[in-house]
Amino acid sequence: MAKQQRGDSREPRRERSDDGEELDERVIDITRVAKVVKGGRRFAFRTVVIVGDNKGRVGIGIGKSRGVPEAIRKGSEGARKRMKKVTLSGSTIPHEVTAKHGGSIVMLKPASPGTGVIAGGSVRAVLEAVGVKDILSKSQGSSNMLNVAMATMKALQSLMSGDQLAEMRGKPANEMVPFWVTREKSTAPPRDTTETATHA
């Protein structure tokens, strides 16, 4: 099957689902594919679409059709049906995680508030769609957009909450708290508990 990739500069768009929920939709890849049949080649388009609610749910869909708009519609519908819940910790992820899909390897690492999304391509699209605002990432191996997106999705699905991670490692839950959370608590000014006298 011959393939010819084409760049896609579509901006993220927000659409409402059937139940009124506002979703973040991103087309990360549009590829022309050719199927050899009796009598010649049959050309079509394959799209990869990311859909998320920016609140911890995200899905990846693949659409194929003779026309680009129809391929995007199919990919969007598939992504909405496959949306999964992801464990987040505020604006970042609870712990470091690595996942592989095909020849692509993606590493995600939590970051302190204000860091931003340090990622590119399909990794950034998946992370922003799910609602992550501060994270460090690294992609190795194949740069295929679909494989990188699927590896990112696998990494997010393997995340555990702080309590689950503490139970698995046999440590107190407070030891699983990120260092910047502990630092914020230690530097926070003490609360004034003095009661003000009220005059009758």
Side-chain angles (χ1 to χ4, degrees):
M1 181 181 292
K3 295 195 291 186
Q4 178 183 347
Q5 292 206 353
R6 187 176 74 178
D8 178 42
S9 59
R10 292 176 59 90
E11 292 294 326
R13 59 180 182 178
R14 304 191 71 84
E15 293 189 354
R16 289 190 177 275
S17 60
D18 295 336
D19 57 0
E21 183 182 19
E22 191 173 339
L23 300 175
D24 185 356
E25 181 180 306
R26 301 161 185 257
V27 181
I28 63 170
D29 188 38
I30 299 178
T31 305
R32 192 178 74 163
V33 295
K35 182 179 181 181
V36 179
V37 296
K38 187 177 180 180
R41 289 182 177 182
R42 183 176 298 170
F43 291 97
F45 292 94
R46 186 201 71 183
T47 61
V48 181
V49 183
I50 310 294
V51 175
D53 63 356
N54 302 133
K55 299 176 183 177
R57 292 174 62 235
V58 67
I60 300 176
I62 303 171
K64 289 183 181 180
S65 181
R66 299 286 292 275
V68 174
E70 181 65 13
I72 292 175
R73 185 190 64 81
K74 289 181 178 180
S76 177
E77 289 182 354
R80 291 166 190 258
K81 291 178 182 178
R82 297 179 181 88
M83 288 181 71
K84 303 290 185 181
K85 182 69 177 176
V86 175
T87 301
L88 300 180
S89 177
S91 63
T92 187
I93 58 176
H95 56 86
E96 184 175 333
V97 64
T98 302
K100 179 180 179 181
H101 184 86
S104 300
I105 303 173
V106 172
M107 184 273 288
L108 303 177
K109 189 174 182 179
S112 58
T115 303
V117 179
I118 310 300
S122 51
V123 178
R124 171 179 284 271
V126 175
L127 294 174
E128 289 183 344
V130 79
V132 175
K133 295 181 176 60
D134 302 294
I135 196 168
L136 304 173
S137 71
K138 187 173 184 179
S139 178
Q140 296 177 320
S142 171
S143 60
N144 180 278
M145 298 287 278
L146 177 57
N147 285 346
V148 173
M150 294 298 292
T152 306
M153 189 71 181
K154 281 186 177 180
L156 291 174
Q157 287 184 287
S158 65
L159 290 172
M160 295 182 290
S161 66
D163 293 338
Q164 292 174 325
L165 193 63
E167 184 178 353
M168 183 185 73
R169 296 183 179 180
K171 295 183 177 181
N174 57 359
E175 291 187 14
M176 299 294 104
V177 177
F179 71 89
W180 57 84
V181 176
T182 306
R183 185 173 57 191
E184 287 177 358
K185 290 181 178 179
S186 62
T187 57
R191 295 181 59 186
D192 186 9
T193 58
T194 305
E195 295 183 2
T196 57
T198 57
H199 298 281

